[in-house]
């Protein structure tokens, strides 16, 4: 039987509807949560990501601002921008779009964000809250992965989960979340020996390694759930033909746009083996933005409960 497709767009729409209902309650109290996105330079991918984030906020009625600094911005300039946003009562969430240019000390900048406004969940205070299961802001992509599993009725408790990737923003937090939901979790990385064998033990396999198409059918236990986090553009015809043999729709997209997206999973060999899988695009990606909205509203709730100042706009 072909793998069941876990449709991230549908789950995103459910979550956005829930956020909209919550925003209604804020509105009744005369409060409009606010998000500020800082973009440095003109990296085309970052420009698209930040524009989409602001657009999604606006579609829900969250106040949003995009602050654009030049490619030459210094660490000090970013720190002063963050400090200004930390002090603004009507801003509930601050997101610094990564990567930052090489002259900027990214760690110092991320550390400067008020943990209560850290809607990306990257601040060590929030990561510590996640480790110790205290209330806080959880990184968006890992939180989105859990939503996909839960809302698709995929059992987690007692299951064997294997996460490929140990980054601070995806691999480690998703492993913690799965562990907190009582999965038995193995985390793999570039030094793991016999990766396909370890992955074949998984009931839930999360591929977050950033290596397009590397996870083949050989990595997957028949019937397993596969979450494909990777997103990479394929820009050569030979690659599109290799990964999507006979797929006229993909080829047409490639002809039209000059590229098509591939995850870390090789679709032609994994789809026949997996029980369920997130597609790329349309799987994990839509959840990342949805969870940013969730985190902005959550930040507004947590922070304003501590300092009950309603800021009317
Ligand atoms: P990083 O590059 O920070 O981390 C990659 C991880 O994968 C590292 O831990 C690395 O191991 C491991 N790895 C790399 N190569 C191999 C290999 N051959 N075998 C086993 N492990 C390997 O990436 P991110 O976590 O930031 O992102 C991962 C992917 O997810 C990327 O494609 C990114 O674009 C995508 N992404 C998608 C999002 C979405 O919304 N869908 C959001 C965020 C990311 P080691 O630690 O040993 O180097």
């Amino acid at each position: 039987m072909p793998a069941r497709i876990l449709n991230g767009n549908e789950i995103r729409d459910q979550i956005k509807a829930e956020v909209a209902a919550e925003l209604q309650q804020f509105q009744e109290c005369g409060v409009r949560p606010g998000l500020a996105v800082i973009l440095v330079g003109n990296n085309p991918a970052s420009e698209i990501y930040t524009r989409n984030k602001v657009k999604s906020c606006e579609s829900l009625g969250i106040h949003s601002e995009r602050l654009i600094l030049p490619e030459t911005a210094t660490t000090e300039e970013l720190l002063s921008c963050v400090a200004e946003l930390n002090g603004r009562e009507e801003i509930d969430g601050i997101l610094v779009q990564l990567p930052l240019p090489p002259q900027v000390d990214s760690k110092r900048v991320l550390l400067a964000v008020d943990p209560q406004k850290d809607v990306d969940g990257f601040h060590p205070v929030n990561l510590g809250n996640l480790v110790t299961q205290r209330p806080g802001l959880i990184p968006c992509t890992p939180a989105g992965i859990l939503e996909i599993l839960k809302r698709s009725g995929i059992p987690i408790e007692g299951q064997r989960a294997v996460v490929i990737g140990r980054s601070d923003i995806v691999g480690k937090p998703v492993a913690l979340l799965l562990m907190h939901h009582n999965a038995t979790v193995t985390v793999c990385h570039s030094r793991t020996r016999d990766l396909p064998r370890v992955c074949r033990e998984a009931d839930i396999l999360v591929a977050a390694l950033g290596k397009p198409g590397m996870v083949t059918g050989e990595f997957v236990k028949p019937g397993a759930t596969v979450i494909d986090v990777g997103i990479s553009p394929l820009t050569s015809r030979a690659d599109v033909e290799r990964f999507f043999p006979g797929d006229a729709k993909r080829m047409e997209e490639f002809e039209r746009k000059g590229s098509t997206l591939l995850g870390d999973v090789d679709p032609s060999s994994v789809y026949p083996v997996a029980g369920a899988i997130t597609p790329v695009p349309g799987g994990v990606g839509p959840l990342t933005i949805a969870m940013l909205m969730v985190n902005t509203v959550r930040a507004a709730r947590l922070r304003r409960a501590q300092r009950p100042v309603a800021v009317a706009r």
Side-chain angles (χ1 to χ4, degrees):
M1 218 170 42
R4 171 182 165 206
I5 305 296
L6 305 176
N7 186 327
N9 290 322
E10 281 176 17
I11 298 171
R12 173 203 54 201
D13 291 345
Q14 285 170 18
I15 292 174
K16 278 180 83 171
E18 290 162 17
V19 173
E22 208 172 339
L23 282 166
Q24 186 68 37
Q25 292 173 6
F26 274 91
Q27 210 181 354
E28 282 159 15
C29 308
V31 174
R32 190 175 174 202
L35 173 72
V37 178
I38 302 176
L39 169 66
V40 183
N42 34 30
N43 175 327
S46 295
E47 276 202 22
I48 295 170
Y49 292 149
T50 53
R51 211 174 312 127
N52 287 342
K53 286 168 185 173
V54 166
K55 229 166 62 188
S56 290
C57 279
E58 280 166 0
S59 73
L60 280 178
I62 294 174
H63 168 78
S64 61
E65 298 177 14
R66 198 163 72 130
L67 292 94
I68 304 176
L69 278 76
E71 186 72 36
T72 51
T74 63
T75 304
E76 296 309 323
E77 282 165 343
L78 262 136
L79 288 174
S80 95
C81 180
V82 168
E84 199 252 329
L85 293 169
N86 281 343
R88 280 177 56 194
E89 190 56 47
E90 76 280 20
I91 293 295
D92 297 286
I94 303 170
L95 183 150
V96 183
Q97 184 65 44
L98 300 176
L100 293 172
Q103 77 277 9
V104 175
D105 184 340
S106 302
K107 284 199 171 156
R108 251 184 96 195
V109 173
L110 294 180
L111 203 60
V113 174
D114 179 343
Q116 292 187 334
K117 297 189 177 188
D118 167 40
V119 281
D120 253 339
F122 294 165
H123 194 285
V125 165
N126 281 316
L127 291 173
N129 285 334
L130 173 60
V131 171
T132 53
Q133 294 184 268
R134 290 186 168 87
L137 297 164
I138 297 173
C140 299
T141 303
I145 292 169
L146 263 287
E147 290 298 331
I148 293 176
L149 293 172
K150 287 198 232 166
R151 290 172 189 252
S152 306
I154 307 286
I156 305 176
E157 180 159 327
Q159 301 293 294
R160 289 293 310 269
V162 173
V163 178
I164 320 174
R166 56 175 165 181
S167 72
D168 290 346
I169 62 173
V170 186
K172 281 181 204 160
V174 81
L176 283 165
L177 287 171
L178 288 164
M179 185 172 72
H180 294 159
H181 285 78
N182 300 318
T184 301
V185 184
T186 302
V187 179
C188 300
H189 44 76
S190 63
R191 313 289 168 88
T192 298
R193 269 186 274 148
D194 199 355
L195 186 65
R197 185 189 59 74
V198 180
C199 292
R200 271 198 308 274
E201 291 173 8
D203 302 304
I204 299 169
L205 177 62
V206 180
L209 60 161
K211 296 278 184 283
M214 200 187 108
V215 175
T216 59
E218 187 203 1
F219 289 59
V220 179
K221 177 163 91 175
T225 297
V226 179
I227 304 291
D228 190 359
V229 186
I231 323 177
S232 307
L234 290 186
T235 52
S236 96
R237 173 184 295 275
D239 279 343
V240 180
E241 283 168 353
R242 180 175 147 221
F243 286 109
F244 300 102
D247 188 334
K249 249 169 93 180
R250 284 289 185 159
M251 194 43 88
E252 185 274 319
E253 187 194 5
F254 173 73
E255 301 290 3
R256 196 163 28 89
K257 297 189 188 161
S259 68
T260 186
L261 292 177
L262 177 66
D264 288 337
V265 166
D266 168 31
S268 61
S269 68
V270 171
Y271 275 60
V273 186
I277 187 162
T278 58
V280 175
V284 174
L287 267 297
T288 298
I289 294 194
M291 297 318 286
L292 176 65
M293 313 292 105
V294 170
N295 271 355
T296 303
V297 171
R298 184 170 168 73
R301 211 178 333 104
L302 288 172
R303 195 173 63 89
R304 290 171 197 260
Q306 284 179 25
R307 283 180 285 164
V309 191
V311 178
R313 285 177 195 283

